[in-house]
Amino acid sequence: MRLRYRQVTRGQGKIFQRLTVEGKGSALGSLEVRSTTSEGNVVPSSIYRLGEEEFVIVVPVLDLPQCVELFSVSADGGRSLLDSHNVSPGWAKNKSRINTALKNEEAESIRNIDSKNRLNKSEITIDRVCFNAWDNNDIVHISVVSLAPPRHDWGEVPGLVLLDSNGREVQDGIAEPIVLSDRIEERGYYSRRHVTYSVRIARDLWSFVVWVRPRDGEDSFVTIQDFELQAWRDRWHFDTLSADFDEAYPEWFRSHKASRSLLEIQRRTRLAIQPRFSIVVPVFNTPIPFLDDMVGSVLGQSYEDFELLLVNASPDNRELADRIARYVNADRRVRELTLDENLGITLNTNQGILAASGDFVCFLDHDDVIEPDLLFSYAEAVNQRPDTDLLYCDEDKLQEGTLVSPFFKPDWNPDLLCSCNYVTHLLAVRKSVLDELELPGREFDGAQDHNMTFRISELARHVHHVRKVLYHWRIHPGSTAGSPDAKSFTSNAGQLSVQGHLDRCHIPAKAVIRPKFDNIFQLDFELEEEPLVSIVIPSRDESGMLGRCVDSLYRSSYKNFEVVIVENGSREPETFALYDSLAREHERVSVVTYPLQGDEFNFSKLVNFGARRSKGDLILLLNNDTEVVSPGWLTQMVGRCLRDDVGAVGAKLLYPDGTIQHAGVSFHLTFPDHLGQLMPDMSPNYFNLLNFTQDVTAVTGACLLTRRELFDRLGGFDETDFTVAYNDVDYCLRLGELGYHVVYCAESVLTHYESVSRGSDLGGEKAVRHCAERANLLRRWPSYFVEGDPMLSPYIAKDGKYRKLNFLI
């Protein structure tokens, strides 16, 4: 018997070597290979038969030499070593280059042969690589698809190992692989298993080998090379690049700002209502270039009915006083109020308010600038809605002459305002409303605008958001725009502002500063009594999943709830045994059986059926594949749902690997989608909004809390047009139509074990039904598909779940 190693080539991170076994005889049996690095680590390897005497050995491309051993395996399982030889990375690379240069057809024929021989092998692919900014690691989602004869006994999930480029098992920066989904499908003549894993890898890992080791069957492996991994990282970066980090923004803004011709038209336009604006600017040792820029941006307004009140709290600064005097003498609209001493920004501002003569008082920082069409845009808004009492606009930051970090704000969002001061600039309030208030004290220094927004909004008839970037917030040492730590007192003042709002509105909660965030707040509710919450869970088999869900509910700090399980065609004995067990172990657990008709599955009917058989004043719709993470989740949701202006509250849902499954629902041109889906939890994407409680257009029915009176008033979920999909979205839109807020509660966190690839495998009747229900949503709510999500700016891309900059307008 003679062994001949022949052509060598490389492809897709693997080395392929042709082997001829001459005169082996029938007693040789089958062949196996084993590869070991020069450090002694076993790495994956495979052998494929080409013919009676022709084979191909496959090993991964590594940075270290490998010793490849060839074994003969007899019918009784005995193994004997036939040969061993070394494969070095440099040798394999040179051999492959020579064969490629010579256009060696035999070498080309064995390249990637493993992709052509999938019998008993798994297909391994990378789905995505996500960057986790909090721990500087990447999250890698890996799909493993295996085929087998029908009704195959698949057994346990295959083991998955990652090796670095030296063949060592990856340890640093990686957690144990997490199984995100495991789906088995019978497709007539074959069975298919699709497992999705999630692993964390260190950011400095540049190539790795994925090695899948099933209980039975053959091992499979792929090598992810440095250029492939970089491509995945780049793809994630650009797919999720939110507007505030987009380096193309300065050019984008230049094409979207008001043109000279438009400004001239505005100057000549005489509006039916011509409000007068008093712009109050507290000045304290302002650098002259900053003052010049600020004053110049005000005097350059296309709308000219305003006064500029410069409240100078630095009388000893002669250069500054002279420059202000020059502006006062040059333009009658500029007035100076000189203070004997610096009283702090709140009290200084109060002096400007008392001196203001306009219909609206605007608050401008002494080092910032505004666009020339800001006041015209505000006056135009007042003409559109004469009952407007508070206005604000979008903004960005001015850093060393470059515009960066645009903030395209949502329309009026009171729950977000309790999380952070998202309104900030340029705040304009009606003077007649302001006159009704007692002016605040210096305890609000650093958050005086946050406090003012709360006070005016509590009395305002209408709050208007001008959807344009009209304010440039300068970044420089000492500014809060450049560093929230520059004025650390702002967090305490902001907390005081939020608490004052809660107290005045009789909301039973304490405002606390969120850990890890500057100037961000959460509400800790202190309910005098807990109303009964009916938790309605539709369920069919999957007893292990349901048991985990229900058990986790009883770890909640909120205790006054009942669990109503809607039984829907279960067949497994374990399910009914679980029902009995849950009723024995926990209080207030009941099972109601839906009268199933044939193979019908109508999720809306199940929800409505369970709700009608529950007792609580509040109804929580919950999927059986969820698990409570934060013990205070239900208290947070109930506290908000009890408000008269709130119709529904949803939670933050995470996949098992900590990436986001749901952080509110947004609309774009094709269908609703989950905000931030697949972003790592606590992602800073777009001003950290994924982590802040706020009002949204809709929330998922996988965890949705609503008041019974509203659920009954709307007739629950629509059982005709939305049997499975979009029933939750439709319900939230109907609430919004009645004027109720829908709240995404970021502090209420649950794990959702829904597959990350859910929906991608829709086919046949399911796909037809899904398309029909999407069409029903389009027919009923066409404005959302045409105009987009009202809670997202038109300058956010229409596939807005990552809040990317819209380059199509």
Side-chain angles (χ1 to χ4, degrees):
M1 180 177 61
R2 182 182 176 190
L3 304 180
R4 295 178 54 202
Y5 298 99
R6 300 166 60 189
Q7 295 86 6
V8 174
T9 189
R10 301 197 319 173
Q12 295 182 354
K14 297 177 182 178
I15 299 170
F16 302 87
Q17 185 174 26
R18 195 182 189 114
L19 167 67
T20 300
V21 182
E22 299 176 345
K24 66 182 182 64
S26 59
L28 182 61
S30 61
L31 298 180
E32 288 185 359
V33 293
R34 186 179 78 158
S35 184
T36 309
T37 68
S38 56
E39 293 181 345
N41 297 313
V42 177
V43 296
S45 56
S46 303
I47 187 167
Y48 295 90
R49 182 186 290 272
L50 289 181
E52 182 65 24
E53 297 181 343
E54 298 292 324
F55 300 85
V56 177
I57 295 173
V58 186
V59 295
V61 173
L62 300 175
D63 292 343
L64 295 180
Q66 304 174 55
C67 176
V68 180
E69 299 173 302
L70 182 66
F71 296 89
S72 171
V73 182
S74 62
D76 60 2
R79 300 170 76 248
S80 58
L81 180 65
L82 294 180
D83 185 53
S84 65
H85 67 286
N86 292 326
V87 175
S88 69
W91 171 81
K93 185 176 184 178
N94 291 332
K95 285 286 189 180
S96 180
R97 284 180 171 177
I98 292 171
N99 283 326
T100 300
L102 296 176
K103 298 183 179 179
N104 187 313
E105 294 182 0
E106 288 191 352
E108 183 63 29
S109 68
I110 65 173
R111 186 192 305 270
N112 302 326
I113 191 172
D114 51 341
S115 64
K116 307 168 189 175
N117 294 266
R118 288 186 54 201
L119 190 63
N120 297 324
K121 292 281 186 177
S122 298
E123 180 181 6
I124 306 169
T125 56
I126 300 295
D127 290 337
R128 64 190 60 84
V129 177
C130 319
F131 175 54
N132 187 359
W134 284 99
D135 58 15
N136 205 36
N137 287 341
D138 284 333
I139 300 171
V140 185
H141 289 172
I142 302 170
S143 283
V144 177
V145 177
S146 308
L147 304 179
R151 294 173 293 282
H152 178 73
D153 180 13
W154 286 102
E156 298 178 358
V157 172
L160 185 139
V161 177
L162 259 61
L163 307 177
D164 65 16
S165 58
N166 290 319
R168 307 174 189 133
E169 187 169 343
V170 175
Q171 300 285 347
D172 297 333
I174 183 172
E176 287 295 317
I178 295 172
V179 177
L180 294 181
S181 61
D182 180 13
R183 302 198 314 274
I184 297 174
E185 306 158 5
E186 296 295 335
R187 299 198 169 186
Y189 58 92
Y190 69 93
S191 181
R192 178 178 182 267
R193 185 178 202 172
H194 185 173
V195 183
T196 303
Y197 300 84
S198 175
V199 295
R200 290 179 183 262
I201 62 171
R203 190 71 176 165
D204 58 3
L205 183 66
W206 285 103
S207 65
F208 58 87
V209 178
V210 182
W211 188 2
V212 176
R213 314 191 70 176
R215 181 192 62 180
D216 51 10
E218 299 183 28
D219 291 2
S220 303
F221 70 95
V222 297
T223 304
I224 308 301
Q225 300 174 91
D226 53 358
F227 66 90
E228 294 176 288
L229 186 54
Q230 185 59 51
W232 278 108
R233 285 168 167 157
D234 290 345
R235 179 177 176 180
W236 175 257
H237 171 74
F238 289 111
D239 283 351
T240 63
L241 180 63
S242 55
D244 53 325
F245 289 114
D246 199 322
E247 294 180 356
Y249 171 70
E251 183 64 30
W252 181 95
F253 179 77
R254 279 191 287 271
S255 66
H256 286 79
K257 66 182 299 182
S259 64
R260 290 183 179 179
S261 58
L262 178 58
L263 292 173
E264 186 59 33
I265 292 172
Q266 291 175 357
R267 290 189 180 98
R268 297 178 181 180
T269 300
R270 185 168 183 84
L271 299 170
I273 303 174
Q274 298 187 66
R276 188 162 195 253
F277 296 96
S278 296
I279 304 173
V280 176
V281 183
V283 176
F284 179 70
N285 289 330
T286 308
I288 298 299
F290 292 176
L291 180 75
D292 290 343
D293 288 347
M294 181 272 295
V295 174
S297 73
V298 174
L299 298 182
Q301 290 295 299
S302 62
Y303 184 86
E304 299 181 346
D305 193 358
F306 66 84
E307 63 176 351
L308 175 60
L309 301 172
L310 302 177
V311 184
N312 186 6
S314 44
D316 296 335
N317 188 327
R318 179 46 49 193
E319 182 184 18
L320 181 61
D322 289 345
R323 184 58 60 97
I324 292 175
R326 182 186 305 178
Y327 284 121
V328 171
N329 294 330
D331 195 311
R332 60 180 177 77
R333 295 172 301 179
V334 181
R335 297 168 54 194
E336 180 186 17
L337 302 175
T338 303
L339 305 183
D340 295 333
E341 60 177 333
N342 180 22
L343 305 174
I345 189 168
T346 301
L347 297 183
N348 292 353
T349 301
N350 288 350
Q351 296 303 307
I353 293 173
L354 293 172
S357 62
D359 301 297
F360 285 86
V361 179
C362 308
F363 302 95
L364 174 62
D365 289 349
H366 65 158
D367 48 2
D368 297 340
V369 294
I370 58 178
E371 282 294 303
D373 57 330
L374 186 148
L375 291 184
F376 184 89
S377 299
Y378 278 27
E380 191 176 38
V382 173
N383 276 263
Q384 294 169 356
R385 285 289 301 265
D387 61 342
T388 296
D389 292 328
L390 186 153
L391 302 101
Y392 64 97
C393 63
D394 296 337
E395 64 188 67
D396 58 21
K397 295 183 175 65
L398 179 61
Q399 184 174 31
E400 297 180 351
T402 301
L403 298 178
V404 298
S405 193
F407 187 14
F408 303 107
K409 305 170 186 177
D411 288 345
W412 180 237
N413 199 315
D415 286 279
L416 181 57
L417 190 65
C418 286
S419 297
C420 65
N421 183 15
Y422 83 95
V423 169
T424 51
H425 306 115
L426 178 100
L427 178 63
V429 301
R430 191 176 289 274
K431 181 65 160 57
S432 59
V433 178
L434 187 54
D435 288 341
E436 297 179 26
L437 303 176
E438 179 182 348
L439 293 179
R442 65 194 317 161
E443 66 271 17
F444 293 103
D445 280 1
Q448 68 284 343
D449 49 355
H450 201 178
N451 174 64
M452 181 66 70
T453 303
F454 276 126
R455 296 297 304 272
I456 299 296
S457 68
E458 291 161 13
L459 302 175
R461 295 165 296 170
H462 176 68
V463 177
H464 189 90
H465 165 216
V466 177
R467 292 179 160 193
K468 286 189 285 187
V469 174
L470 299 173
Y471 193 100
H472 307 299
W473 190 358
R474 191 186 299 271
I475 299 176
H476 63 86
S479 71
T480 54
S483 171
D485 293 330
K487 298 178 181 176
S488 58
F489 58 86
T490 59
S491 285
N492 293 330
Q495 181 182 14
L496 186 64
S497 300
V498 178
Q499 189 61 57
H501 168 71
L502 299 176
D503 294 342
R504 289 188 298 272
C505 295
H506 307 290
I507 298 174
K510 294 295 183 184
V512 298
I513 300 172
R514 284 279 300 273
K516 298 184 179 180
F517 294 103
D518 296 303
N519 298 312
I520 303 303
F521 313 99
Q522 72 178 43
L523 309 186
D524 287 350
F525 286 89
E526 301 173 344
L527 303 177
E528 292 185 4
E529 59 180 38
E530 296 181 343
L532 178 64
V533 178
S534 295
I535 303 177
V536 177
I537 307 176
S539 186
R540 175 184 292 179
D541 289 322
E542 301 291 351
S543 58
M545 189 179 297
L546 176 63
R548 176 179 58 203
C549 172
V550 175
D551 287 343
S552 74
L553 296 177
Y554 286 86
R555 296 195 293 269
S556 305
S557 58
Y558 192 100
K559 301 302 181 184
N560 192 24
F561 62 85
E562 64 170 351
V563 178
V564 180
I565 300 170
V566 184
E567 159 56 31
N568 175 42
S570 297
R571 298 179 180 178
E572 298 172 358
E574 296 86 352
T575 301
F576 298 97
L578 174 68
Y579 293 159
D580 294 337
S581 174
L582 292 175
R584 288 194 307 269
E585 295 176 6
H586 299 300
E587 296 181 357
R588 298 186 299 278
V589 174
S590 62
V591 178
V592 295
T593 302
Y594 177 76
L596 190 64
Q597 299 178 359
D599 293 330
E600 172 196 29
F601 179 71
N602 187 318
F603 184 78
S604 294
K605 286 185 177 180
L606 297 177
V607 165
N608 294 344
F609 181 83
R612 286 193 296 268
R613 282 153 183 78
S614 64
K615 303 173 184 176
D617 293 330
L618 299 175
I619 300 172
L620 177 73
L621 311 179
L622 188 67
N623 278 17
N624 64 349
D625 58 349
T626 57
E627 182 178 9
V628 172
V629 173
S630 53
W633 70 288
L634 193 50
T635 302
Q636 288 282 350
M637 296 178 73
V638 168
R640 290 176 169 84
C641 201
L642 290 176
R643 281 181 14 218
D644 292 339
D645 61 337
V646 171
V649 182
K652 175 186 274 190
L653 303 182
L654 304 177
Y655 289 116
D657 66 343
T659 55
I660 293 173
Q661 191 267 339
H662 169 269
V665 174
S666 69
F667 255 88
H668 53 79
L669 293 180
T670 53
F671 55 88
D673 213 345
H674 289 185
L675 287 164
Q677 189 174 34
L678 296 171
M679 295 292 292
D681 186 24
M682 306 305 288
S683 168
N685 181 272
Y686 201 64
F687 300 99
N688 289 305
L689 282 190
L690 297 172
N691 305 307
F692 302 161
T693 293
Q694 60 198 274
D695 301 317
V696 293
T697 298
V699 292
T700 178
C703 182
L704 186 155
L705 182 68
T706 189
R707 298 200 300 276
R708 178 178 296 278
E709 59 175 300
L710 293 176
F711 195 80
D712 291 344
R713 177 180 172 186
L714 295 178
F717 279 12
D718 188 318
E719 300 178 0
T720 304
D721 288 340
F722 305 105
T723 60
V724 177
Y726 306 123
N727 35 41
D728 45 6
V729 174
D730 172 71
Y731 180 76
C732 290
L733 295 184
R734 286 187 282 149
L735 286 170
E737 192 175 42
L738 295 176
Y740 292 100
H741 293 292
V742 175
V743 182
Y744 156 64
C745 183
E747 293 89 359
S748 298
V749 184
L750 292 85
T751 299
H752 192 189
Y753 292 91
E754 179 188 68
S755 169
V756 295
S757 56
R758 179 182 180 269
S760 63
D761 58 341
L762 283 178
E765 293 182 3
K766 290 183 179 180
V768 172
R769 184 211 68 231
H770 191 82
C771 287
E773 295 185 347
R774 182 184 298 179
N776 291 337
L777 197 69
L778 172 60
R779 173 180 53 80
R780 183 175 292 180
W781 305 102
S783 64
Y784 289 88
F785 291 87
V786 175
E787 300 170 6
D789 193 318
M791 301 307 293
L792 291 178
S793 166
Y795 299 124
I796 296 295
K798 295 303 183 182
D799 54 344
K801 67 179 178 181
Y802 297 122
R803 295 181 168 102
K804 296 168 62 67
L805 191 59
N806 188 355
F807 288 93
L808 300 180
I809 61 172

